[in-house]
Amino acid sequence: MSDTDMPVIDAVLARRLIATQFPQWADLPVRPVEFGGWDNRTFRLGKHMTVRLPSAAHYALQVEKEQEWLPRLAPSLPLPVPVPLAMGRPGEGYPWHWSVYEWRHGEIATRAQIADLSRFATTIGEFLAALQRIDAQGGPPPGQHNFFRGGALTVYDRETRWALDALEGRIDVHAARLVWEAALASAWDRAPVWFHGDVAAGNLLVENGRLSAVIDFGTSGVGDPACDLSIAWTMFEETSRTAFRAALRLDERTWARGRGWTLWKALIVAAEMPGTDRREVEKSRRIIDAVLSDHRRYA
């Protein structure tokens, strides 16, 4: 399906899909949420539900995975995660499966919302440690469904080296290459474990200053958990980063790969790919500095 053939993903479409496939909810109001996401368009359904419509075919691969695995993971986790209520089918000109979830209360995590950043970091670390302890047998390995998170960083080697060349003279490219090479030099050599895949502020909910829920498991899977470490540099500072480390107790090679995952994303944004927001470029420059500093400390 081409972009020109794609329906507009809005509340009108969501309302039609609900009415035709789940008539028991047809009378409930449907309205967009303030932060609807990029991978999915999200809508509030009544007071207690959420409708999520993937925005592209590669995001639609995540729907059935979440429907199958979230109910299995939830009982072993110390914080609430999304609860699938129904899975919708293609229809009304919309080509993919989609989901209805329980509504999760809370605000998107920002520094202003968090009462104690170190405590927050510890709570996230403990959540991820619990996730890693869940039996990974039969879980989804890295692949197209999660953009190869949990797999080898070599998938992004060409892209990273392009960004390094593009940033020559704007960042310490020599130091960044050392970080990248260190990340490529090791691999997860133990049994695959569960990972979230996108531990970012937008997927962490806060109530009363504390982490209250972890949402959006679309990029989850089983493999190397290093991809879940990026928040150490994207959100935390030295003290809270230390607290996060202490809660996870992973080996230094895994932390080196975590720096690699973080560096890859920050580099391609800092290299100003088409459509990149200027504020995101500046944020990525700060993340690169934090990663390089961390490498000098621990490598």
Side-chain angles (χ1 to χ4, degrees), residues 154-234:
T154 50
V155 171
Y156 294 109
D157 187 44
R158 181 176 180 180
E159 195 172 57
T160 301
R161 295 187 190 281
W162 164 83
L164 286 167
D165 289 342
L167 289 167
E168 188 71 55
R170 289 190 278 166
I171 67 166
D172 188 341
V173 168
H174 174 70
R177 287 187 194 280
L178 291 177
V179 173
W180 185 245
E181 296 295 344
L184 293 177
S186 73
W188 183 252
D189 56 6
R190 285 171 268 171
V193 298
W194 276 100
F195 57 86
H196 179 277
D198 191 12
V199 185
N203 294 328
L204 304 171
L205 300 184
V206 175
E207 287 188 284
N208 300 317
R210 298 183 182 183
L211 182 64
S212 61
V214 179
I215 61 173
D216 197 345
F217 280 68
T219 53
S220 63
V222 299
D224 178 4
C227 58
D228 276 349
L229 303 182
S230 291
I231 196 168
W233 302 281
T234 59

Side-chain angles (χ1 to χ4, degrees), residues 231-278:
I231 196 168
W233 302 281
T234 59
M235 188 172 190
F236 301 149
E237 36 69 39
E238 187 171 342
T239 302
S240 51
R241 191 178 303 130
T242 299
F244 183 58
R245 273 179 163 265
L248 277 167
R249 300 184 182 279
L250 293 166
D251 63 86
E252 287 301 328
R253 294 186 304 163
T254 302
W255 282 100
R257 295 192 302 280
R259 286 190 288 269
W261 278 103
T262 312
L263 188 66
W264 153 69
K265 183 63 177 293
L267 287 173
I268 62 174
V269 174
E272 300 182 60
M273 295 179 73
T276 303
D277 184 274
R278 188 68 208 169

